[in-house]
Amino acid sequence: MSDNIYIFNMWGGSRAQSVFNVIVYCWRLWRTSLCQLSYMLCSKKKKQLIMSDVGTYANLISMLVFFKYYRTLFYHRLGKKSILISWLLSGDKTVIVPFSTPIGRSANFIHNYGSHLNAKSIGDNFRCYQYVVMGNKRFRDKGRPVIGNNVTCATGVVIVGDITIGNNVQIAANAFVNRSIPDNCVVMGNPARIVKRDGISIECKI
C-alpha cells in the first residue's frame, strides 16, 4: 500500500456532477481535521506505524477521505483516544479490531467489510480481505490466535482458538483454521489443509 497513490477523479461526468464531487471532497477533507491533528500529536512510534500503512502524508489524507475501512485501522493505531474523534468521521463499523490486538507494520485491509479480528497479536505485512473472523474457539475460552508476519487472509477465512499462524502463510478463501500452521505454507479448505509448503505442492492435514 505504501507505494500507491490514490487519485479521485473529481472532474468526471457532467459539470453538475463535477461540482458535487468537489463539494463532497472538501466536506470530507474538513472532517479529517481531527484525524490530522491527532496524527500530529501522537508518538513517533505510532506515526511510524501509520506511515508504514500509507507511505506518504498525502496518501494518508486520501485514505482518510475515501476509505472507511482504512479509518478503522487508523483509529486502531491511535488507540483508545480515537474514540473522542471518530464521531466526526467514522470508520467502517462492520470491521472490528479490539485495541487489545496489536497489529504490526504495513497492514492492508483490502476492500474489507464484515471482519472481526480478535487475535492476541498480528504481525507485519498483514493482508486482510472481507468477512475474515478471528477469535476464541468457544464462548468462554480465552485462547486467541497469534498471527505471524506476511500473512494473507482471503475472503471468508475463519481462524479460531489458541493457535499460531506462522510467517509467510497464505490462507485461501473460506478456509476454516483451528490448528497451528507452520511457516511458508499455503492453506485452503474446511477443515483447512496445507496444499503447499516451502514452494512445494503437497496434501497435508494440519
Side-chain angles (χ1 to χ4, degrees), residues 87-111:
W87 60 270
L88 184 61
L89 192 64
S90 64
D92 190 334
K93 297 186 184 302
T94 72
V95 179
I96 300 172
V97 188
F99 292 120
S100 61
T101 300
I103 299 178
R105 295 172 57 85
S106 302
N108 191 351
F109 290 1
I110 304 168
H111 50 75

Side-chain angles (χ1 to χ4, degrees), residues 3-186:
D3 294 328
N4 294 336
I5 297 177
Y6 297 88
I7 301 173
F8 180 55
N9 184 10
M10 293 184 290
W11 304 108
S14 66
R15 180 178 297 180
Q17 184 64 47
S18 297
V19 171
F20 176 77
N21 289 343
V22 171
I23 292 172
V24 169
Y25 176 79
C26 292
W27 170 244
R28 288 181 179 177
L29 184 63
W30 174 81
R31 291 170 69 193
T32 68
S33 57
L34 286 179
C35 295
Q36 295 183 58
L37 179 61
S38 297
Y39 170 78
M40 296 297 182
L41 296 177
C42 70
S43 66
K44 182 178 179 180
K45 182 178 179 180
K46 287 185 178 180
K47 285 182 179 179
Q48 290 174 343
L49 277 175
I50 292 169
M51 281 297 109
S52 74
D53 300 326
V54 295
T56 67
Y57 190 75
N59 277 356
L60 172 63
I61 301 304
S62 295
M63 294 292 285
L64 288 171
V65 169
F66 298 117
F67 297 101
K68 271 190 170 185
Y69 53 82
Y70 172 72
R71 291 177 216 149
T72 300
L73 176 60
F74 177 79
Y75 294 141
H76 181 272
R77 297 293 200 198
L78 290 181
K80 292 182 179 179
K81 67 180 181 181
S82 65
I83 296 172
L84 301 175
I85 66 171
S86 59
W87 60 270
L88 184 61
L89 192 64
S90 64
D92 190 334
K93 297 186 184 302
T94 72
V95 179
I96 300 172
V97 188
F99 292 120
S100 61
T101 300
I103 299 178
R105 295 172 57 85
S106 302
N108 191 351
F109 290 1
I110 304 168
H111 50 75
N112 204 289
Y113 182 87
S115 292
H116 192 137
L117 309 181
N118 184 23
K120 282 183 183 176
S121 64
I122 297 174
D124 297 338
N125 302 312
F126 177 63
R127 300 292 178 268
C128 182
Y129 289 79
Q130 63 268 40
Y131 302 115
V132 173
V133 175
M134 300 177 185
N136 306 341
K137 184 180 291 187
R138 296 181 182 85
F139 178 71
R140 297 195 178 187
D141 287 350
K142 295 183 178 179
R144 298 180 295 161
V146 174
I147 311 300
N149 299 324
N150 307 311
V151 172
T152 297
C153 292
T155 301
V157 167
V158 176
I159 304 174
V160 293
D162 188 9
I163 62 175
T164 299
I165 307 300
N167 301 322
N168 311 310
V169 171
Q170 298 180 43
I171 306 177
N174 299 316
F176 178 81
V177 183
N178 62 355
R179 296 180 184 276
S180 294
I181 301 174
D183 295 346
N184 309 313
C185 288
V186 177

